[in-house]
Amino acid sequence: MNIPSPLIPASLQARDINFLFQIVLIISAIILLVVAGLVLYSAVRFRRRPGDPVPTQDFGNTKLEITWTVIPLLIVTVMFFLSVRTMHAVDPPPLNRPPDIQVVAHQWWWEFSYPESGVITANELHIPIDKNLLFSVTSADVVHDFWVPQLARKIDAIPARKNFAWIAADQPGLYLGTCAEYCGVEHAWMRIRVVAQTPEEFSQWQKKQLAIPAKPTEPLAVKGYNVFMSRPCSSCHRIAGTPADKDIGPDLTHIGSRQTLAAGVFDNSPGNLEAWIADPQKFKPGCHMPDLQLEPAELTALTAYLEELQ
């Protein structure tokens, strides 16, 4: 099972953040033990006993005051320099370099685009391993937060503003993430899947994503295509090579190749896709996907067409 935990880092950035976290945790634990131990020792050793006189009052100890001032100052100074070092390692300035990946957050899904190749996808981000990638993050509506704990730090997605961060992966695999800023009723279903691949696999994936899907030829898929173009679907979504070119909803050019639907609500299967289109509010209440009031035959045909978009 893939656990999206920052304690299991899978990139240089995540390891630096985890190292800093462990250092702070150890220092904090030592301080807690020392303070709690002294309080407990004093409470037992110097507790009042029957017949004890009033203790002698001590109104100042220069050595002690210097000690409890210098030690915290040294601790804070060490933590400051460790934090600066980590910030520099994790988040070096982009230096006017164009981003490798553009992230746009929507209620409640993610849009990923690759400016160099022109690939656009949703909720499922593919990256090559062993490459430090610069990504820009913004939002189309409210404040979100992009976070894949094993790969990179959190970064806010803010409307009308671009933030920049770096992401990388050491090993091929699936890394899970989510929106880390409450952004509305379906905040919990705004999942991210990062598929880290070898450069060869990534190149192959990118090549497939750039291919224009063939026009449907099977009667059922042809009917589904006509349903898509005649119903409100084409008013919100884009499918390359067709008249549908809107970007209000996720790009569906290769929806059939994705692993999940509705930003992680379902595994991608014909049954789940049909159920989602039939009644999106049942599975993701408050989402902007309307109930299209399709007839059962239209629903089956539309599902067949979309599943062909590999």
Side-chain angles (χ1 to χ4, degrees), residues 59-74:
F59 294 101
N61 187 318
T62 303
K63 291 182 179 178
L64 187 60
E65 290 173 4
I66 291 175
T67 300
W68 74 42
T69 300
V70 170
I71 291 178
L73 182 62
L74 289 175

Side-chain angles (χ1 to χ4, degrees), residues 208-289:
K208 289 182 179 177
Q209 295 295 305
L210 287 171
I212 303 297
K215 289 187 176 180
T217 55
E218 295 293 327
L220 188 60
V222 171
K223 182 179 179 180
Y225 172 87
N226 292 330
V227 170
F228 187 92
M229 295 304 163
S230 60
R231 292 292 196 143
C233 313
S234 59
S235 300
C236 292
H237 297 281
R238 172 182 177 270
I239 296 178
T242 76
D245 60 354
K246 305 301 182 184
D247 59 359
I248 298 172
D251 187 300
L252 301 181
T253 302
H254 295 285
I255 183 175
S257 68
R258 294 173 194 157
Q259 299 172 355
T260 62
L261 300 169
V265 175
F266 304 106
D267 289 335
N268 191 355
S269 70
N272 287 338
L273 180 56
E274 187 168 329
W276 166 248
I277 298 172
D279 192 356
Q281 298 301 319
K282 176 181 177 181
F283 302 101
K284 204 168 180 177
C287 74
H288 302 311
M289 173 83 172

Side-chain angles (χ1 to χ4, degrees), residues 80-91:
F80 171 77
F81 282 105
L82 286 174
S83 299
V84 171
R85 172 194 166 278
T86 302
M87 290 169 64
H88 180 73
V90 169
D91 207 20

Side-chain angles (χ1 to χ4, degrees), residues 32-303:
L32 174 65
L33 289 175
V34 170
V35 172
L38 288 175
V39 169
L40 184 61
Y41 172 78
S42 299
V44 175
R45 174 70 177 78
F46 302 106
R47 70 185 185 280
R48 186 176 185 183
R49 296 177 175 82
D52 280 354
V54 176
T56 304
Q57 301 300 302
D58 190 345
F59 294 101
N61 187 318
T62 303
K63 291 182 179 178
L64 187 60
E65 290 173 4
I66 291 175
T67 300
W68 74 42
T69 300
V70 170
I71 291 178
L73 182 62
L74 289 175
I75 292 173
V76 171
T77 301
V78 169
M79 292 173 66
F80 171 77
F81 282 105
L82 286 174
S83 299
V84 171
R85 172 194 166 278
T86 302
M87 290 169 64
H88 180 73
V90 169
D91 207 20
L95 300 176
N96 297 320
R97 174 187 156 179
D100 300 294
I101 299 168
Q102 294 175 334
V103 179
V104 181
H106 301 257
Q107 286 181 316
W108 290 273
W109 59 282
W110 299 93
E111 177 184 346
F112 303 123
S113 60
Y114 301 70
E116 186 172 341
S117 64
V119 168
I120 302 174
T121 185
N123 304 319
E124 191 173 295
L125 178 66
H126 287 244
I127 62 172
I129 61 170
D130 297 330
K131 186 174 182 180
N132 208 18
L133 300 164
L134 178 64
F135 60 106
S136 66
V137 181
T138 188
S139 170
D141 36 55
V142 301
V143 176
H144 302 269
D145 192 290
F146 180 90
W147 190 32
V148 183
Q150 289 179 266
L151 301 183
R153 69 178 180 90
K154 296 195 291 184
I155 183 154
D156 281 345
I158 301 171
R161 174 190 172 98
K162 283 187 178 180
N163 287 329
F164 294 89
W166 299 86
I167 191 170
D170 296 337
Q171 300 292 331
L174 174 64
Y175 301 96
L176 303 179
T178 188
C179 177
E181 178 81 26
Y182 181 71
C183 55
V185 64
E186 287 301 332
H187 161 71
W189 282 120
M190 198 169 167
R191 306 293 174 84
I192 305 163
R193 297 173 74 85
V194 178
V195 182
Q197 301 170 299
T198 64
E200 295 76 20
E201 290 171 338
F202 174 74
S203 178
Q204 192 66 24
W205 172 83
Q206 197 162 237
K207 185 178 178 182
K208 289 182 179 177
Q209 295 295 305
L210 287 171
I212 303 297
K215 289 187 176 180
T217 55
E218 295 293 327
L220 188 60
V222 171
K223 182 179 179 180
Y225 172 87
N226 292 330
V227 170
F228 187 92
M229 295 304 163
S230 60
R231 292 292 196 143
C233 313
S234 59
S235 300
C236 292
H237 297 281
R238 172 182 177 270
I239 296 178
T242 76
D245 60 354
K246 305 301 182 184
D247 59 359
I248 298 172
D251 187 300
L252 301 181
T253 302
H254 295 285
I255 183 175
S257 68
R258 294 173 194 157
Q259 299 172 355
T260 62
L261 300 169
V265 175
F266 304 106
D267 289 335
N268 191 355
S269 70
N272 287 338
L273 180 56
E274 187 168 329
W276 166 248
I277 298 172
D279 192 356
Q281 298 301 319
K282 176 181 177 181
F283 302 101
K284 204 168 180 177
C287 74
H288 302 311
M289 173 83 172
D291 182 350
L292 300 176
Q293 303 291 318
L294 297 179
E295 297 295 331
E298 293 179 312
L299 192 58
T300 302
L302 180 58
T303 302

